[in-house]
């Protein structure tokens, strides 16, 4: 239950980071999380994923298909979607955090943006891109797909966000620090309204 002081604060903002596999979303989010680790007004959302916790990548809550379905059925997610054979969920408690005036950062998906817009009134989309040849190199290095599958997916995919969203784009083709600094600056800007209230 939120206290009266919390309910009188301005609503927070959801910042969802999207982009294709291999573009470096996890790395940029980790850099930003380290930068803001002592900031009280910003939280980084820990997603639930039907993937083993030992699979690498982002820090997430690992759920079985049955556990995910049960939580989804019980209303435990504000947003949930499926992609690449996995299921992803954003915890429902994020809605309370936003009502308390916090800004949240979540790793999302372009395909799920309509669901994010339904769930969160104030939504900023950060679209991370990279040149196709850079994406291909990174995906090949992961060793999860063949080069042929990767190239076919990149050719049929688009790096743009379609729809009427507030979108900021970060090109992560070069040095990670440049893209991370850009994300950090965007998050500082997003925090400014809540700081000035």
């Amino acid at each position: 239950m939120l206290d009266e002081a919390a309910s009188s604060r301005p609503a927070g903002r959801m910042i969802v980071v999207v982009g294709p596999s291999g573009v470096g979303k996890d790395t940029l989010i980790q850099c930003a999380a380290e930068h803001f680790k002592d900031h009280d007004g910003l939280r980084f959302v820990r997603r639930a994923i039907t993937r083993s916790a030992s699979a690498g990548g982002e820090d997430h809550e690992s759920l079985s298909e049955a556990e995910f379905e049960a939580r989804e059925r019980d209303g435990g997610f504000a947003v949930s979607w499926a992609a690449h054979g996995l299921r992803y969920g954003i915890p429902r408690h994020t809605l309370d955090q936003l009502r308390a005036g916090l800004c949240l950062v979540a790793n999302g998906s372009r395909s799920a943006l309509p669901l994010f817009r339904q769930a969160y009134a104030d939504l900023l989309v950060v679209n991370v891109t990279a040149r196709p040849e850079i994406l291909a190199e990174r995906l090949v290095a992961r060793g999860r797909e063949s080069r042929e599958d990767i190239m076919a997916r990149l050719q049929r995919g688009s790096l743009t966000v379609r729809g009427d969203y507030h979108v900021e784009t970060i090109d992560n083709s070069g040095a990670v620090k440049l893209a991370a600094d850009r994300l950090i600056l965007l998050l500082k800007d997003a925090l400014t309204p809540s700081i000035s209230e």
Side-chain angles (χ1 to χ4, degrees):
M1 182 67 105
L2 297 176
D3 60 26
E4 289 183 18
S7 64
S8 68
R9 294 182 195 133
R13 173 177 251 192
M14 170 59 80
I15 299 126
V16 58
V17 181
V18 301
S21 295
V23 81
K25 298 186 300 293
D26 291 341
T27 300
L28 298 185
I29 290 171
Q30 287 169 5
C31 290
E34 177 63 24
H35 180 86
F36 289 101
K37 64 183 177 184
D38 297 322
H39 197 294
D40 292 335
L42 186 68
R43 298 284 187 277
F44 290 80
V45 177
R46 187 169 183 251
R47 300 192 294 183
I49 309 177
T50 54
R51 178 173 64 199
S52 168
S54 63
E58 71 182 280
D59 175 30
H60 66 279
E61 180 184 7
S62 179
L63 297 179
S64 69
E65 285 281 347
E67 290 169 332
F68 191 99
E69 288 177 6
R71 189 172 303 179
E72 189 173 49
R73 189 172 53 247
D74 293 342
F77 299 125
V79 177
S80 60
W81 70 97
H84 310 300
L86 297 171
R87 300 178 74 179
Y88 300 82
I90 303 296
R92 184 166 187 81
H93 68 75
T94 56
L95 300 173
D96 294 330
Q97 291 177 311
L98 291 181
R99 282 191 287 269
L102 296 174
C103 281
L104 305 178
V105 179
N107 190 336
S109 169
R110 287 168 295 172
S111 66
L113 286 178
L115 302 174
F116 275 87
R117 180 157 53 190
Q118 288 174 10
Y120 305 107
D122 191 351
L123 179 67
L124 171 64
V125 179
V126 177
N127 184 36
V128 182
T129 66
R131 295 193 307 275
E133 64 271 20
I134 300 293
L135 283 176
E137 287 175 16
R138 292 174 182 169
L139 291 169
V140 167
R142 284 183 176 183
R144 298 178 190 169
E145 301 171 273
S146 71
R147 178 177 286 277
E148 292 75 20
D149 289 343
I150 290 167
M151 295 310 296
R153 180 154 56 79
L154 291 177
Q155 286 173 2
R156 68 175 177 265
S158 169
L159 298 182
T160 61
V161 170
R162 300 183 184 197
D164 185 21
Y165 302 99
H166 177 184
V167 180
E168 297 286 350
T169 299
I170 296 176
D171 185 344
N172 192 26
S173 299
V176 170
K177 185 179 186 313
L178 294 176
D181 286 348
R182 172 72 175 137
L183 177 57
I184 288 166
L185 183 60
L186 288 174
L187 297 182
K188 285 179 178 177
D189 287 345
L191 285 165
T192 300
S194 59
I195 290 172
S196 64
E197 290 291 337

